[in-house]
Amino acid sequence: DVKVTQSSRYLVKRTGEKVFLECVQDMDHENMFWYRQDPGLGLRLIYFSYDVKMKEKGDIPEGYSVSREKKERFSLILESASTNQTSMYLCASKDQGREKLFFGSGTQLSVL
Amino acid sequence: QQQVKQSPQSLIVQKGGISIINCAYENTAFDYFPWYQQFPGKGPALLIAIRPDVSEKKEGRFTISFNKSAKQFSLHIMDSQPGDSATYFCAASSYQTGANNLFFGTGTRLTVIP
Protein backbone atom coordinates (compact mmCIF):
# COMPACT_ATOMS: atom_id res chain seq x y z
CA ASP A 1 0.00 0.00 0.00
CA VAL A 2 1.07 3.59 -0.54
CA LYS A 3 3.00 5.13 2.28
CA VAL A 4 3.21 8.87 2.82
CA THR A 5 5.61 9.72 5.61
CA GLN A 6 5.81 13.05 7.36
CA SER A 7 9.06 13.62 9.21
CA SER A 8 7.64 14.92 12.49
CA ARG A 9 4.44 14.14 14.38
CA TYR A 10 4.75 17.17 16.68
CA LEU A 11 6.80 20.32 16.23
CA VAL A 12 7.13 23.39 18.45
CA LYS A 13 8.71 26.51 17.02
CA ARG A 14 9.11 30.15 17.97
CA THR A 15 7.65 33.12 16.12
CA GLY A 16 9.96 34.24 13.33
CA GLU A 17 11.74 30.90 12.95
CA LYS A 18 12.11 29.27 9.55
CA VAL A 19 10.30 25.93 9.60
CA PHE A 20 10.66 22.97 7.26
CA LEU A 21 8.04 20.23 7.07
CA GLU A 22 9.15 17.20 5.10
CA CYS A 23 7.06 14.61 3.28
CA VAL A 24 8.13 11.49 1.42
CA GLN A 25 5.97 9.08 -0.62
CA ASP A 26 7.05 5.66 -1.80
CA MET A 27 4.72 4.98 -4.73
CA ASP A 28 6.20 7.13 -7.50
CA HIS A 29 3.19 9.48 -7.53
CA GLU A 30 3.48 12.55 -9.73
CA ASN A 31 1.21 14.76 -7.63
CA MET A 32 1.88 15.86 -4.08
CA PHE A 33 -0.05 18.24 -1.84
CA TRP A 34 0.16 20.18 1.39
CA TYR A 35 -3.03 20.86 3.34
CA ARG A 36 -3.63 22.44 6.70
CA GLN A 37 -6.41 21.18 8.94
CA ASP A 38 -8.08 23.47 11.44
CA PRO A 39 -11.16 22.77 13.60
CA GLY A 40 -14.29 24.09 11.96
CA LEU A 41 -12.47 24.86 8.71
CA GLY A 42 -11.77 21.40 7.38
CA LEU A 43 -8.80 20.83 5.08
CA ARG A 44 -7.50 23.70 3.00
CA LEU A 45 -4.98 23.35 0.18
CA ILE A 46 -1.76 25.33 0.60
CA TYR A 47 0.30 24.19 -2.41
CA PHE A 48 0.52 21.27 -4.74
CA SER A 49 3.09 19.95 -7.15
CA TYR A 50 2.45 17.93 -10.31
CA ASP A 51 6.08 17.26 -11.17
CA VAL A 52 9.62 17.78 -9.93
CA LYS A 53 10.37 21.49 -9.54
CA MET A 54 6.78 22.36 -10.50
CA LYS A 55 4.36 23.91 -8.03
CA GLU A 56 0.96 25.55 -7.99
CA LYS A 57 -0.63 27.73 -5.31
CA GLY A 58 -3.66 26.37 -3.54
CA ASP A 59 -6.29 28.32 -1.65
CA ILE A 60 -4.10 29.65 1.19
CA PRO A 61 -0.46 29.97 0.01
CA GLU A 62 0.35 33.19 1.86
CA GLY A 63 3.23 32.76 4.28
CA TYR A 64 4.27 29.42 2.80
CA SER A 65 6.56 28.16 0.08
CA VAL A 66 7.35 24.67 -1.16
CA SER A 67 10.18 22.73 -2.69
CA ARG A 68 10.18 19.59 -4.78
CA GLU A 69 13.68 18.64 -5.86
CA LYS A 70 12.97 14.90 -6.10
CA LYS A 71 9.80 13.13 -7.16
CA GLU A 72 9.29 11.38 -3.84
CA ARG A 73 9.88 14.39 -1.59
CA PHE A 74 7.78 17.53 -1.09
CA SER A 75 8.73 20.11 1.51
CA LEU A 76 6.63 22.88 3.02
CA ILE A 77 8.52 25.93 4.22
CA LEU A 78 7.35 28.60 6.61
CA GLU A 79 9.81 31.43 5.98
CA SER A 80 8.98 33.26 9.21
CA ALA A 81 6.59 31.31 11.40
CA SER A 82 3.70 33.17 12.99
CA THR A 83 1.24 32.11 15.69
CA ASN A 84 -1.62 31.94 13.16
CA GLN A 85 0.28 29.14 11.42
CA THR A 86 -0.26 26.87 14.42
CA SER A 87 -2.14 23.99 12.83
CA MET A 88 -2.15 20.36 11.72
CA TYR A 89 -0.32 20.00 8.41
CA LEU A 90 -1.16 17.09 6.15
CA CYS A 91 0.84 15.92 3.17
CA ALA A 92 -0.83 13.85 0.45
CA SER A 93 0.04 12.27 -2.86
CA LYS A 94 -1.81 10.77 -5.81
CA ASP A 95 -1.16 9.21 -9.15
CA GLN A 96 -1.56 11.38 -12.24
CA GLY A 97 -5.02 10.88 -13.74
CA ARG A 98 -6.37 9.29 -10.57
CA GLU A 99 -8.42 11.03 -7.89
CA LYS A 100 -7.65 9.07 -4.73
CA LEU A 101 -5.49 11.01 -2.31
CA PHE A 102 -3.15 9.20 0.08
CA PHE A 103 -2.45 11.19 3.23
CA GLY A 104 0.35 11.12 5.75
CA SER A 105 -0.44 11.09 9.47
CA GLY A 106 0.12 14.81 9.82
CA THR A 107 2.43 17.18 11.68
CA GLN A 108 0.95 19.18 14.53
CA LEU A 109 2.86 22.47 14.48
CA SER A 110 2.70 24.87 17.39
CA VAL A 111 4.19 28.34 16.93
CA LEU A 112 4.77 30.12 20.24
CA GLN B 1 -15.93 31.07 1.11
CA GLN B 2 -16.63 27.44 1.82
CA GLN B 3 -17.16 25.63 -1.48
CA VAL B 4 -18.66 22.60 0.23
CA LYS B 5 -20.91 23.00 3.28
CA GLN B 6 -21.11 20.06 5.67
CA SER B 7 -23.44 19.32 8.56
CA PRO B 8 -23.71 18.45 11.34
CA GLN B 9 -20.46 19.40 13.00
CA SER B 10 -20.80 16.48 15.42
CA LEU B 11 -23.05 13.47 15.66
CA ILE B 12 -23.70 10.91 18.38
CA VAL B 13 -25.39 7.67 17.38
CA GLN B 14 -26.21 4.49 19.25
CA LYS B 15 -24.61 1.26 18.11
CA GLY B 16 -26.76 -0.26 15.39
CA GLY B 17 -28.29 3.07 14.38
CA ILE B 18 -28.00 4.99 11.13
CA SER B 19 -25.54 7.89 10.87
CA ILE B 20 -26.32 10.54 8.28
CA ILE B 21 -23.98 13.35 7.26
CA ASN B 22 -25.02 15.95 4.71
CA CYS B 23 -23.11 18.13 2.28
CA ALA B 24 -24.15 20.85 -0.15
CA TYR B 25 -22.31 22.64 -2.93
CA GLU B 26 -22.91 25.51 -5.34
CA ASN B 27 -20.47 24.91 -8.18
CA THR B 28 -22.32 22.90 -10.81
CA ALA B 29 -19.00 22.08 -12.47
CA PHE B 30 -18.12 19.68 -9.64
CA ASP B 31 -18.09 16.14 -10.97
CA TYR B 32 -16.41 14.05 -8.29
CA PHE B 33 -17.65 13.70 -4.71
CA PRO B 34 -15.57 11.62 -2.29
CA TRP B 35 -15.91 11.01 1.42
CA TYR B 36 -12.81 10.71 3.58
CA GLN B 37 -12.63 9.09 7.02
CA GLN B 38 -10.09 10.22 9.60
CA PHE B 39 -9.27 8.42 12.84
CA PRO B 40 -7.47 10.28 15.66
CA GLY B 41 -3.75 10.57 14.99
CA LYS B 42 -4.12 9.49 11.37
CA GLY B 43 -4.49 11.22 8.06
CA PRO B 44 -7.80 11.06 6.18
CA ALA B 45 -8.39 7.99 4.02
CA LEU B 46 -10.77 7.64 1.08
CA LEU B 47 -13.93 5.85 2.15
CA ILE B 48 -16.25 6.03 -0.84
CA ALA B 49 -16.81 8.33 -3.82
CA ILE B 50 -19.52 9.07 -6.37
CA ARG B 51 -19.90 10.80 -9.72
CA PRO B 52 -23.07 12.72 -10.67
CA ASP B 53 -24.18 10.20 -13.28
CA VAL B 54 -25.59 7.98 -10.51
CA SER B 55 -27.87 8.86 -7.58
CA GLU B 56 -26.57 6.30 -5.13
CA LYS B 57 -23.48 4.24 -4.45
CA LYS B 58 -23.20 1.57 -1.80
CA GLU B 59 -20.13 -0.14 -0.37
CA GLY B 60 -20.92 -2.42 2.53
CA ARG B 61 -22.58 -0.39 5.29
CA PHE B 62 -21.66 2.93 3.65
CA THR B 63 -23.91 4.60 1.07
CA ILE B 64 -23.62 7.91 -0.74
CA SER B 65 -26.89 9.47 -1.87
CA PHE B 66 -26.56 12.16 -4.52
CA ASN B 67 -29.19 14.73 -5.52
CA LYS B 68 -27.91 16.65 -8.53
CA SER B 69 -30.86 19.06 -8.79
CA ALA B 70 -30.57 20.03 -5.12
CA LYS B 71 -26.77 20.06 -5.29
CA GLN B 72 -26.58 17.90 -2.19
CA PHE B 73 -25.00 14.60 -1.28
CA SER B 74 -24.99 12.62 1.91
CA LEU B 75 -23.23 9.73 3.60
CA HIS B 76 -25.33 7.08 5.32
CA ILE B 77 -23.70 4.60 7.67
CA MET B 78 -26.02 1.68 8.36
CA ASP B 79 -25.71 -0.43 11.52
CA SER B 80 -23.21 2.06 12.95
CA GLN B 81 -20.44 0.51 15.06
CA PRO B 82 -18.11 1.98 17.70
CA GLY B 83 -15.26 1.39 15.24
CA ASP B 84 -16.92 3.90 12.89
CA SER B 85 -16.21 6.69 15.41
CA ALA B 86 -14.09 9.10 13.41
CA THR B 87 -14.20 12.43 11.63
CA TYR B 88 -15.78 12.36 8.19
CA PHE B 89 -15.07 14.88 5.44
CA CYS B 90 -17.05 15.30 2.26
CA ALA B 91 -15.29 16.87 -0.70
CA ALA B 92 -15.80 17.90 -4.31
CA SER B 93 -13.68 18.60 -7.32
CA SER B 94 -14.04 19.43 -10.96
CA TYR B 95 -11.95 18.60 -13.96
CA GLN B 96 -12.72 22.13 -15.21
CA THR B 97 -11.38 23.92 -12.14
CA GLY B 98 -8.42 21.61 -11.83
CA ALA B 99 -8.93 18.06 -10.68
CA ASN B 100 -5.97 18.53 -8.38
CA ASN B 101 -7.94 20.94 -6.23
CA LEU B 102 -10.25 18.99 -3.96
CA PHE B 103 -12.52 21.22 -1.86
CA PHE B 104 -13.26 19.73 1.54
CA GLY B 105 -16.18 20.28 3.90
CA THR B 106 -15.55 21.29 7.49
CA GLY B 107 -15.86 17.76 8.87
CA THR B 108 -18.27 15.82 11.09
CA ARG B 109 -17.08 14.12 14.25
CA LEU B 110 -19.07 10.91 14.63
CA THR B 111 -19.27 9.10 17.96
CA VAL B 112 -20.99 5.72 18.08
CA ILE B 113 -22.00 4.76 21.60
CA PRO B 114 -21.86 1.04 22.45
Side-chain angles (χ1 to χ4, degrees), chain A residues 46-57:
Chain A
I46 304 171
Y47 267 98
F48 69 92
S49 168
Y50 52 90
D51 202 350
V52 175
K53 296 192 188 294
M54 306 303 288
K55 62 185 179 185
E56 291 280 347
K57 292 181 180 178

Side-chain angles (χ1 to χ4, degrees), chain A residues 11-100:
Chain A
L11 212 50
V12 180
K13 296 292 181 181
R14 296 241 175 243
T15 303
E17 278 192 79
K18 189 168 186 176
V19 181
F20 292 87
L21 302 183
E22 306 286 347
C23 175
V24 177
Q25 51 96 2
D26 66 357
M27 282 301 290
D28 204 35
H29 285 169
E30 288 84 3
N31 300 314
M32 296 189 74
F33 305 79
W34 277 106
Y35 287 88
R36 64 177 280 176
Q37 180 178 1
D38 299 287
L41 295 177
L43 280 71
R44 294 177 292 165
L45 182 64
I46 304 171
Y47 267 98
F48 69 92
S49 168
Y50 52 90
D51 202 350
V52 175
K53 296 192 188 294
M54 306 303 288
K55 62 185 179 185
E56 291 280 347
K57 292 181 180 178
D59 299 316
I60 51 164
E62 297 79 19
Y64 303 95
S65 62
V66 290
S67 171
R68 193 164 180 203
E69 297 296 319
K70 292 185 178 180
K71 191 175 185 180
E72 67 271 18
R73 187 178 297 270
F74 192 35
S75 302
L76 180 68
I77 303 157
L78 287 67
E79 294 289 341
S80 177
S82 63
T83 54
N84 62 13
Q85 292 178 310
T86 291
S87 185
M88 170 67 77
Y89 289 89
L90 290 162
C91 176
S93 73
K94 77 176 182 77
D95 222 349
Q96 183 66 23
R98 302 258 183 171
E99 281 128 340
K100 181 177 179 179

Side-chain angles (χ1 to χ4, degrees), chain A residues 9 31 33 35 37 40-43 45 48 59 90 94 99-101 103-105, chain B residues 2 9 32 36 38 41-44 46 51 89 99-106:
Chain A
R9 183 73 183 96
N31 300 314
F33 305 79
Y35 287 88
Q37 180 178 1
L41 295 177
L43 280 71
L45 182 64
F48 69 92
D59 299 316
L90 290 162
K94 77 176 182 77
E99 281 128 340
K100 181 177 179 179
L101 281 172
F103 282 89
S105 294
Chain B
Q2 198 74 29
Q9 194 171 9
Y32 174 67
Y36 279 77
Q38 184 181 30
K42 301 289 185 185
L46 180 65
R51 293 196 181 277
F89 293 96
N100 281 321
N101 199 350
L102 194 58
F103 295 97
F104 283 88
T106 51

Side-chain angles (χ1 to χ4, degrees), chain B residues 77-96:
Chain B
I77 306 173
M78 310 301 287
D79 188 26
S80 299
Q81 299 297 313
D84 298 329
S85 296
T87 299
Y88 293 82
F89 293 96
C90 62
S93 69
S94 159
Y95 198 76
Q96 282 184 24

